[in-house]
Amino acid sequence: MTRISKAFPGVQVLSNVDLEVRAGEIHALVGENGAGKSTLTRIIAGVHQPDDGEITFRGDRVVWSGPGDAKRRGVHVIYQEFVLFPHLTVAENLFIGHERTNRLGLVDRRRTRADAKALLARLAIDIDPAKRVCDLSVADQQMVEIAKALVHDVKLLILDEPTAVISGREVDLLFTRLRALRAAGVAIVYISHRLEEIFSLCDRVTVLKDGQKVGTCEVAAVTRDQLIAMMVGRRLSELFPPRRAPKTDRPVVLEARDISVAGRVRGASITLRAGEITGLAGMVGSGRSELALAMFGVLPRTGSVAIAGVEHRSLTPARAIDLGIGLVTEDRKGQGLAMLLDVEANITASTLPEFTRFGLIDRARERDVAKAEIANYRIVCRGPETPVAFMSGGNQQKVIVARWARTSRRVLILDEPTRGVDVGAKLEIYRIMHDLAERGIAILMISSELSEIVGMSDRVVVMREGTVAGELEAGEITEEAVVELATRRRAA
């Protein structure tokens, strides 16, 4: 791609961007939300036409007539939201538009399943071709998307945040399959906010900022600090707020004792103190999220939760909210946001009685509050009436935090607060967390990013196999110490 430019009404999205991707390499494309990554990949895939510049594909200058044209030439994109038919089988999904038929022109189901089985075998994927897609795990659905690319004899595969919906062993399997495709000569463009993945998987990296190319370099020749500086203009050392002096006199606002959730958490205890950021760490499946959901009243549990010294044997989310506890869930689109509503409706969702009189919502007051929160949390949008579905992931996350910060007088639980957001948005979310703690709110931060746990936490509780494996105070918090607690085998 040479000198690619693209504008939408009132917005210059790309300006003179160059991108070169080689056969048999995994090429990272990184940048903050709004940097132009999505628009650039949609131009590669034929969804948009560039206003200026040219595309050369496998030696030929091309002008795609549409996504179908690009796909026929071997360009395949796997978006964050999968393009699958959930109630059709794996085999039927693989050959949509390329149905296997018999001499009478009817769909040959036996041949479809046989071809699907052979295709999945090429990727070492053990999935029953006759199984419906809706019955698959998210990781297996992703593998079906990759297998679909092979139907089209893929030459260039683009993956947009492929690990946003998988973790742990599933990520390792994905990387193994991507490396196999690279070895087979496929060119891969890999878009991710997770810098550790870039250094683990990719050969070269191109950085975009504000619709312009900052640079391309070999991954082996750049450090994490340098890459962050290219993306946001700041060093890694400036990513987290200054560490606060440890205090021993912070009052306890929530104490959970012997919490058990059937099959997931066993006898876990945790204490949260006013004005303290407590990190909750552990491997995927360790029970971190389940413990938080039980404390908030979402999951049934045994054990007790004491809030401001008052014990609550049973608790519902509504009662937890009344007591000043908020929860930012891990799945912001599925569980956190009302995606069809606007910013103001999402910000005020947990405090509607405050804006209701005689059963009617006072829209003017709701809008004034939303405007204040937009300014307070630096939410980038056109205004309170902006649909949240059209906003970046980082700004969507700030909308959720703004909502719960209004109700969280005592405790705010944040489950993976920066998952899927860019570095600039992370800085803003860290600032917000720091400011809320300074106001005396107890923060419980669940995170899979060790650098985040170490950089933000005043104290760290580590879980392993559904139990609390240990606790680290400020001077003891290191990545090595967290990993040691999270992975050490329990005594027999």
Side-chain angles (χ1 to χ4, degrees):
M1 306 182 80
T2 308
R3 301 185 308 278
I4 298 294
S5 296
K6 181 66 179 178
F8 295 106
V11 182
Q12 185 69 39
V13 182
L14 296 171
S15 299
N16 297 312
V17 173
D18 297 336
L19 177 67
E20 176 195 77
V21 184
R22 301 165 183 165
E25 79 162 346
I26 301 178
H27 193 117
L29 184 61
V30 302
E32 298 181 81
N33 288 334
K37 305 185 301 294
S38 295
T39 301
L40 190 67
T41 55
R42 286 188 173 96
I43 290 173
I44 299 172
V47 177
H48 300 315
Q49 291 294 330
D51 298 332
D52 195 14
E54 63 182 48
I55 302 173
T56 303
F57 185 70
R58 304 186 72 204
D60 298 326
R61 182 177 177 182
V62 295
V63 178
W64 306 127
S65 61
D69 188 15
K71 188 175 288 187
R72 282 188 291 273
R73 293 286 295 270
V75 179
H76 195 92
V77 185
I78 298 177
Y79 298 101
Q80 289 186 52
E81 287 78 24
F82 301 145
V83 186
L84 296 170
F85 294 89
H87 296 292
L88 296 183
T89 67
V90 170
E92 289 166 339
N93 269 277
L94 289 177
F95 298 111
I96 286 286
H98 298 267
E99 287 77 11
R100 275 34 184 170
T101 58
N102 58 25
R103 288 177 296 179
L104 299 177
L106 302 175
V107 173
D108 187 333
R109 298 190 183 281
R110 181 177 297 177
R111 182 184 164 205
T112 300
R113 285 194 294 270
D115 286 358
K117 188 173 183 178
L119 194 61
L120 294 169
R122 287 175 57 188
L123 286 171
I125 300 172
D126 185 20
I127 300 175
D128 182 358
K131 200 170 187 178
R132 292 194 308 172
V133 163
C134 62
D135 295 326
L136 300 178
S137 68
V138 172
D140 283 342
Q141 289 182 29
Q142 189 175 66
M143 291 302 108
V144 173
E145 280 278 21
I146 293 175
K148 276 173 60 180
L150 298 186
V151 174
H152 302 277
D153 189 23
V154 63
K155 305 298 182 186
L156 173 61
L157 179 64
I158 304 169
L159 299 104
D160 187 1
E161 295 288 350
T163 60
V165 292
I166 60 174
S167 57
R169 181 174 177 274
E170 296 167 341
V171 174
D172 294 337
L173 289 173
L174 172 66
F175 285 6
T176 298
R177 282 150 186 163
L178 292 181
R179 291 183 181 112
L181 289 173
R182 174 177 61 186
V186 176
I188 299 172
V189 174
Y190 190 90
I191 303 170
S192 179
H193 291 308
R194 299 181 176 182
L195 299 187
E196 66 274 12
E197 296 177 0
I198 305 302
F199 288 97
S200 172
L201 181 68
C202 300
D203 303 298
R204 291 192 301 154
V205 55
T206 292
V207 180
L208 298 183
K209 181 174 175 59
D210 299 328
Q212 297 181 322
K213 177 182 173 179
V214 177
T216 296
C217 52
E218 299 286 337
V219 170
V222 67
T223 66
R224 179 185 172 90
D225 203 346
Q226 290 168 334
L227 196 55
I228 289 174
M230 291 172 70
M231 293 167 63
V232 299
R234 306 187 208 188
R235 298 189 304 272
L236 179 62
S237 58
E238 300 170 339
L239 191 58
F240 301 104
R243 187 175 294 279
R244 298 175 300 160
K247 294 182 180 179
T248 58
D249 58 348
R250 292 186 174 113
V252 173
V253 292
L254 186 149
E255 186 172 20
R257 288 288 178 192
D258 297 320
I259 300 296
S260 293
V261 177
R264 292 181 260 187
V265 180
R266 299 190 306 279
S269 299
I270 188 170
T271 300
L272 304 181
R273 303 187 182 107
E276 186 176 70
I277 299 176
T278 302
L280 186 56
M283 306 299 285
V284 173
S286 62
R288 302 169 306 176
S289 297
E290 290 81 4
L291 175 59
L293 290 171
M295 290 162 55
F296 191 68
V298 176
L299 295 178
R301 46 96 179 158
T302 58
S304 66
V305 175
I307 300 169
V310 179
E311 186 173 311
H312 298 268
R313 283 283 169 185
S314 62
L315 203 62
T316 65
R319 181 62 179 147
I321 292 170
D322 289 341
L323 291 168
I325 302 174
L327 171 65
V328 176
T329 59
E330 179 181 13
D331 180 4
R332 64 172 168 265
K333 290 185 178 180
Q335 299 175 335
L337 292 167
M339 295 299 292
L340 298 181
L341 299 182
D342 55 23
V343 172
E344 64 184 54
N346 274 278
I347 286 178
T348 61
S350 60
T351 53
L352 273 182
E354 179 185 338
F355 303 93
T356 304
R357 184 176 174 82
F358 304 121
L360 299 175
I361 296 174
D362 185 342
R363 295 292 184 188
R365 184 155 178 265
E366 184 182 52
R367 188 162 293 118
D368 288 342
V369 167
K371 286 178 180 177
E373 300 296 6
I374 288 169
N376 185 35
Y377 293 98
R378 303 176 191 174
I379 300 169
V380 179
C381 61
R382 294 192 302 273
E385 296 177 298
T386 303
V388 294
F390 299 151
M391 297 168 63
S392 70
N395 285 297
Q396 288 177 347
Q397 191 75 346
K398 286 191 280 184
V399 168
I400 303 175
V401 173
R403 174 206 300 163
W404 287 111
R406 299 191 71 250
T407 63
S408 304
R409 303 184 309 278
R410 292 190 172 107
V411 177
L412 179 59
I413 302 170
L414 299 139
D415 194 351
E416 300 288 2
T418 64
R419 172 169 289 176
V421 306
D422 62 62
V423 177
K426 284 186 178 185
L427 290 168
E428 280 296 300
I429 292 170
Y430 295 153
R431 176 191 67 82
I432 292 167
M433 291 170 59
H434 188 271
D435 290 349
L436 291 173
E438 287 294 306
R439 282 166 39 188
I441 295 172
I443 304 288
L444 178 63
M445 178 188 68
I446 304 169
S447 178
S448 299
E449 292 194 30
L450 285 177
S451 59
E452 191 167 82
I453 288 287
V454 172
M456 287 297 297
S457 303
D458 299 310
R459 184 167 52 93
V460 176
V461 175
V462 184
M463 292 192 69
R464 183 181 64 248
E465 298 176 11
T467 65
V468 172
E471 189 171 309
L472 301 168
E473 297 293 339
E476 306 169 316
I477 301 172
T478 64
E479 292 192 15
E480 293 78 11
V482 173
V483 170
E484 201 275 333
L485 282 173
T487 59
R488 186 178 57 200
R489 286 184 176 273
R490 290 186 294 119

